[in-house]
Structures are given as C-alpha cells and as structure tokens.
C-alpha cells in the first residue's frame, strides 16, 4: 500500500484544504509528491483510493498517475465523497491513463453524512465481491 502524499501537506482546516484544492484544480496543478513507488512494474492491478474534491480526484492523484507507465495495468478506483459520488473522477482517470484498463469504481458517501459505517462497509464489500475480490475463503487466506 502506498499513500499519495504531497511535499506541502494539506491543511487539516476544512476551509483551507478546500480552498487549496479549488485553486489546484483551477490551475490544473500537479503538486509534487513526497514519495515514489520503486517497483511499479511489478503491479498489474492498482486499487486507487481518493476523496472527491470538486467533482474529481485531488490533483495529487493526477501527479501520481502521470508519474508511471500504466500501459496494460488495471486501475480500480474508489472514492469517499460528501454528496457528488464519483462525479467526473473515473472519466478523468481514464483520460490520465489511456493505456490502462479502468474498471467501474465505487463511491462511498463518508460516514456521518446520512451514511452509517456499516452501510459504507457493506457497499465496499459488495463492490469487491462483484470484482472477484470479495471475502471468499480463497481471498481471506491471502
């Protein structure tokens, strides 16, 4: 598992973080990341998790996607959101990695916004099962 982290951390203040995200989106920015995946060629399937920021992925996700060759890889997006679901994020990911296969993603409304943690968990489990990654005895052993 790899976290996509920028060299300039995002504020924990909601409004400051939201303002920075809006500015980065407007500028189509590619924030500098603080780490790298040394062995990306070893991965065929990438689960890509992110929050919905202004109807798409954070710009740092696009920095990540642009940093590697995704040719022949499968990208499986998942997103936590407030009210907009996956919005344009899957379309934008497809555009960022045109030589990859991007599967249908899942958007989970963050708990506390009329969604219980159990509902979020169930949504993710059902989505994973539909992709063949559900909690079968084979997968649980891995």
């Amino acid at each position: 598992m790899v976290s996509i982290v920028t060299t300039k951390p995002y504020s924990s203040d909601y409004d400051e973080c939201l303002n920075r995200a809006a500015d980065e989106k407007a500028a189509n920015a590619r924030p500098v990341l603080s780490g790298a995946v040394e062995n990306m060629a070893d991965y065929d399937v990438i689960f890509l998790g992110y929050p919905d920021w202004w109807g798409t992925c954070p710009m740092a996700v696009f920095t990540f996607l642009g940093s590697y060759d995704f040719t022949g890889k499968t990208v499986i997006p998942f997103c936590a959101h407030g009210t907009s679901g996956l919005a344009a994020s899957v379309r934008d990911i497809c555009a960022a990695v045109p030589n990859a296969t991007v599967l249908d993603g899942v958007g989970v409304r963050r708990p506390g916004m009329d969604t219980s943690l159990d509902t979020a968990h169930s949504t993710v489990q059902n989505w994973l099962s539909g992709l063949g990654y559900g909690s079968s005895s084979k997968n649980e052993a891995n």
Side-chain angles (χ1 to χ4, degrees):
M1 187 166 14
V2 174
S3 294
I4 299 172
V5 179
T6 57
T7 57
K8 179 183 174 194
Y10 290 93
S11 175
S12 60
D13 178 84
Y14 180 79
D15 290 328
E16 285 180 35
C17 184
L18 205 60
N19 290 339
R20 176 175 167 192
D23 292 345
E24 287 178 350
K25 182 180 179 192
N28 200 26
R30 295 298 181 264
V32 176
L33 303 181
S34 64
V37 179
E38 299 298 325
N39 57 340
M40 184 60 99
D42 293 346
Y43 297 96
D44 296 323
V45 177
I46 293 93
F47 280 82
L48 183 65
Y50 52 91
D52 169 68
W53 282 2
W54 297 106
T56 192
C57 304
M59 295 297 103
V61 170
F62 296 113
T63 302
F64 174 80
L65 294 173
S67 298
Y68 304 97
D69 180 6
F70 280 81
T71 300
K73 296 187 183 301
T74 299
V75 178
I76 306 173
F78 62 99
C79 152
H81 63 86
T83 58
S84 61
L86 290 166
S89 65
V90 175
R91 180 201 67 203
D92 295 344
I93 291 167
C94 288
V97 291
N99 297 318
T101 299
V102 180
L103 301 185
D104 290 335
V106 67
V108 177
R109 193 168 182 162
R110 70 178 188 262
M113 295 197 63
D114 302 327
T115 303
S116 71
L117 186 55
D118 288 339
T119 299
H121 184 264
S122 174
T123 298
V124 171
Q125 284 301 115
N126 290 336
W127 171 70
L128 288 170
S129 292
L131 292 172
Y133 290 95
S135 55
S136 68
S137 58
K138 176 184 173 191
N139 288 333
E140 287 176 5
N142 291 331

